[in-house]
Amino acid sequence: MTKVNYNIYQFQRKEVIFYFVTGCCGICGIAYIFYRSYVAFLMLLPFLYIFMKKKREELCSKRKSELSLQFRDAILSVSASLRSGYSIENAFCEACQDMEVLYGKKGMIVRELRLLTGRLASNETLENILYDFSERSGLEDIMDFTDVFVTAKRSGGDLNAIIRKASDHISGKIEVKREIDTLMSAKKIEQKIMNTVPFLIIFYINYSSPGFLDIMYGSMARILVKTHFLEVYGVALLLEKKIVSIEV
């Protein structure tokens, strides 16, 4: 089974097609509304790469959040198996079956636990496996858990208590993030609406009153002014992203 680097997101074919078409439509709309020029469309095409890159980062961040939630459930399962008398290695193997019921055979944590089970069968140490997973995950919570867990295992600490504390810590961060997302959801919807309002207004005027905005086009000075406004609009979008993005 191949390892997955969760710090790098690879688009699926349908995602490539969807975001490519979405980006092209957006660039086409901007070129028509601001410039009414095919040349402008071609000059704006490099921004399609930036759009695809941003979408890749968003999907990567979303996948990491899902992995964090699944990892929390996995170590809760490990903790329950330890209380039942399983060894720590067997507890992780049992967690694989529990997570398969919870997330299905294609779940991210199921894939990782299957990989862990196979590597344990090849006489690889649990410590090395967890370190490898924590590095590939890119999640601070999993890295911290691995450091504490390995140290406790080597020194003979209470693994069950450590796992319970780690799961409580991750659960607390997840709940705080969910509360923030709930509080910010309305603001994010308002942001998306306000982002489209200027384009909708111009499109409506063009449709309802043909020729009314013709004065905006035709000269280099007007093109430069509109380009400046487009730059200001882009900066405003970046600021909005920063405002509504709260890290926990």
Side-chain angles (χ1 to χ4, degrees):
M1 186 176 293
T2 58
K3 298 179 182 179
V4 177
N5 186 349
Y6 295 95
N7 296 300
I8 302 173
Y9 187 88
Q10 297 294 336
F11 282 127
Q12 298 179 4
R13 179 177 297 180
K14 61 181 181 180
E15 290 176 331
V16 171
I17 295 173
F18 175 77
Y19 291 118
F20 181 83
V21 172
T22 302
C24 286
C25 290
I27 291 174
C28 183
I30 292 174
Y32 172 75
I33 291 174
F34 281 83
Y35 303 104
R36 290 185 183 176
S37 170
Y38 293 108
V39 176
F41 173 77
L42 296 175
M43 293 182 67
L44 290 171
L45 272 181
F47 287 96
L48 180 61
Y49 170 78
I50 299 175
F51 172 76
M52 298 288 284
K53 183 179 178 181
K54 290 294 182 183
K55 282 300 176 182
R56 190 193 302 270
E57 292 174 355
E58 290 177 8
L59 292 173
C60 183
S61 178
K62 183 179 179 181
R63 182 175 66 174
K64 283 186 176 184
S65 297
E66 293 175 356
L67 179 62
S68 178
L69 176 61
Q70 293 183 17
F71 178 76
R72 188 276 308 268
D73 293 336
I75 60 176
L76 284 174
S77 176
V78 170
S79 177
S81 296
L82 286 175
R83 288 197 297 270
S84 300
Y86 285 86
S87 68
I88 184 61
E89 287 80 6
N90 289 334
F92 273 98
C93 294
E94 285 296 317
C96 181
Q97 299 178 12
D98 295 339
M99 294 302 101
E100 187 172 328
V101 173
L102 190 59
Y103 292 108
K105 294 182 179 181
K106 295 184 179 180
M108 287 182 288
I109 198 64
V110 175
R111 178 194 295 271
E112 291 299 332
L113 289 173
R114 281 179 178 171
L115 181 61
L116 180 146
T117 302
R119 294 172 69 176
L120 285 176
S122 301
N123 296 323
E124 193 169 349
T125 63
L126 180 60
E127 292 91 331
N128 288 340
I129 298 171
L130 289 177
Y131 271 129
D132 176 60
F133 172 53
S134 66
E135 290 176 359
R136 289 187 290 107
S137 71
L139 290 169
E140 184 179 355
D141 291 335
I142 298 180
M143 293 178 183
D144 292 342
F145 167 79
T146 301
D147 289 336
V148 175
F149 173 82
V150 171
T151 301
K153 189 173 185 295
R154 291 174 178 173
S155 60
D158 188 349
L159 293 178
N160 199 14
I162 290 171
I163 290 175
R164 267 201 319 272
K165 186 174 181 180
S167 64
D168 291 341
H169 175 71
I170 296 174
S171 298
K173 290 185 69 174
I174 291 173
E175 290 303 318
V176 170
K177 191 173 189 319
R178 283 180 174 176
E179 291 179 6
I180 292 174
D181 289 341
T182 301
L183 293 173
M184 296 297 293
S185 59
K187 296 298 181 183
K188 289 181 179 180
I189 294 174
E190 291 177 9
Q191 174 198 358
K192 291 179 180 178
I193 294 173
M194 293 304 296
N195 288 344
T196 59
V197 164
F199 296 96
L200 293 176
I201 291 175
I202 297 175
F203 180 79
Y204 174 75
I205 294 174
N206 279 328
Y207 179 77
S208 60
S209 303
F212 184 78
L213 296 179
D214 288 349
I215 194 173
M216 295 173 56
Y217 308 93
S219 71
M220 182 58 65
R222 293 165 185 169
I223 291 175
L224 292 176
V225 169
K226 286 181 292 183
T227 301
H228 175 69
F229 285 142
L230 191 58
E231 291 173 351
V232 173
Y233 179 77
V235 172
L237 290 182
L238 293 176
L239 290 176
E240 288 176 359
K241 289 286 185 182
K242 292 287 185 181
I243 292 172
V244 300
S245 298
I246 302 175
E247 296 293 334
V248 180

